[in-house]
Amino acid sequence: MIRFEDKVVIITGAGSGIGEATAKRFSQEGAIVVLAGRDTDKLHCVFSELSSEKALVIQTDVTDRESVKNMVDETVRHFGRIDILVNNAGLYAVGDLLNISEEEANAVLATNFNGVLNCSYFALPHLLKSKGCIVNNASISGLGGDWGGAHYCASKGAVVNLTRAMALDYGSQGVRVNAVCPGLVLTPMVARLDEETLESFDSRISLKRPGQPSEVAAAIAFLASEDASFINGVNLPVDGGLTASNGQPNFN
Ligand SMILES: NC(=O)c1ccc[n+]([C@@H]2O[C@H](COP(=O)([O-])OP(=O)(O)OC[C@H]3O[C@@H](n4cnc5c(N)ncnc54)[C@H](O)[C@@H]3O)[C@@H](O)[C@H]2O)c1
């Protein structure tokens, strides 16, 4: 499938995990891919696997408005347009409200929510011109609560509802805004989970396994493509069926 020939796509947090898989997926489908993130070593590693004329690394901290403005300006200077923004960069921090440092709490909210606001704010004028779209990487933690992850859940819940509100505001102007809500996906973000914890997820996931980054990338590409031309404001679970449950235990 080549659905994005010469479309210009910005992917934040493109140096690892779902962002890396998404960059590769868009590149395989013909897109010009801007790899944005803080760690240029990781970004250059991904870049080296893509076609060099159709990719660019831009060091970006999504929490910093100047840095995000530069990401957008540099993209337009190089490629003349922006067609798709994938707001993927994110952080996890463990801890309920009373058991998280102020620094970590602020970083989670600044990255996961303000980061999406910042990137959307600076990219939108260009997306309005190109009739492009935004795909946010939220989480099933934005659709319901987790134990011991209040700030993460709050940040992702904010992205879920921002997705709906922006879909309303910009749909009539030709810009669609959607989100994926992954469940457990094997990336560096979940490397801290031990075997026992990973196994305990299987009792909740109807497909009985965690997701792979490429499976989320495929859903992001779908939402960004013309195949999803009548889809606007959805938060699509990509979770192996975890949220199909109402939460009651399996006693069968
Ligand atoms: N892995 C999962 O189980 C899972 C589940 C639901 C949602 N998600 C979401 O998927 C997205 C990608 O996470 P991942 O699982 O691939 O983990 P990851 O840690 O591999 O990727 C996150 C990326 O974001 C980058 N990043 C962090 N702060 C940044 C900042 N201020 N500016 C720019 N880049 C920054 C990191 O360097 C990293 O490359 C995140 O938004 C995460 O919340 C992941």
Side-chain angles (χ1 to χ4, degrees), residues 12-21 36-39 42-43 59-64 67-68 87-92 107 110-112 115-116 136-141 152 155-156 180-190 192-193 201 211 213 216 220 238:
T12 66
S16 60
I18 296 167
E20 174 180 357
R38 287 178 308 183
D39 182 336
K42 287 197 303 184
L43 295 170
Q59 186 171 31
T60 309
D61 179 344
V62 297
T63 67
D64 176 344
S67 173
V68 171
N87 282 312
N88 167 76
L91 276 187
Y92 190 81
T111 308
N112 296 2
V116 174
N136 295 324
N137 193 348
S139 171
I140 56 168
S141 304
Y152 185 77
S155 69
K156 294 298 187 176
V180 290
C181 293
L184 177 69
V185 180
L186 296 181
T187 70
M189 186 174 278
V190 302
R192 74 200 146 79
L193 301 179
F201 271 88
V216 183
I220 291 172
V238 185

Side-chain angles (χ1 to χ4, degrees), residues 142-160:
L143 302 174
D146 287 316
W147 281 268
H151 289 83
Y152 185 77
C153 290
S155 69
K156 294 298 187 176
V159 172
V160 161

Side-chain angles (χ1 to χ4, degrees), residues 61-140:
D61 179 344
V62 297
T63 67
D64 176 344
R65 282 172 65 88
E66 271 311 303
S67 173
V68 171
K69 182 177 182 306
N70 176 65
M71 171 188 85
V72 166
D73 290 348
E74 278 292 290
T75 300
V76 174
R77 197 169 68 76
H78 270 82
F79 302 120
R81 56 190 285 132
I82 301 172
D83 297 291
I84 298 163
L85 169 66
V86 180
N87 282 312
N88 167 76
L91 276 187
Y92 190 81
V94 184
D96 61 59
L97 212 66
L98 300 179
N99 288 293
I100 186 169
S101 69
E102 189 180 345
E103 193 187 341
E104 271 195 306
N106 288 339
V108 167
L109 296 171
T111 308
N112 296 2
F113 183 52
N114 290 338
V116 174
L117 286 177
N118 291 340
C119 296
S120 301
Y121 177 83
F122 286 107
L124 256 169
H126 303 283
L127 296 170
L128 287 164
K129 272 191 222 155
S130 64
K131 307 282 181 219
C133 70
I134 295 177
V135 183
N136 295 324
N137 193 348
S139 171
I140 56 168

Side-chain angles (χ1 to χ4, degrees), residues 16-32:
S16 60
I18 296 167
E20 174 180 357
T22 303
K24 289 176 179 167
R25 177 68 191 237
F26 276 107
S27 177
Q28 281 158 11
E29 291 207 42
I32 295 168

Side-chain angles (χ1 to χ4, degrees), residues 184 194-204:
L184 177 69
D194 59 26
E195 271 307 307
E196 199 187 334
T197 310
L198 289 175
E199 274 167 25
S200 71
F201 271 88
D202 289 353
S203 65
R204 297 283 176 181

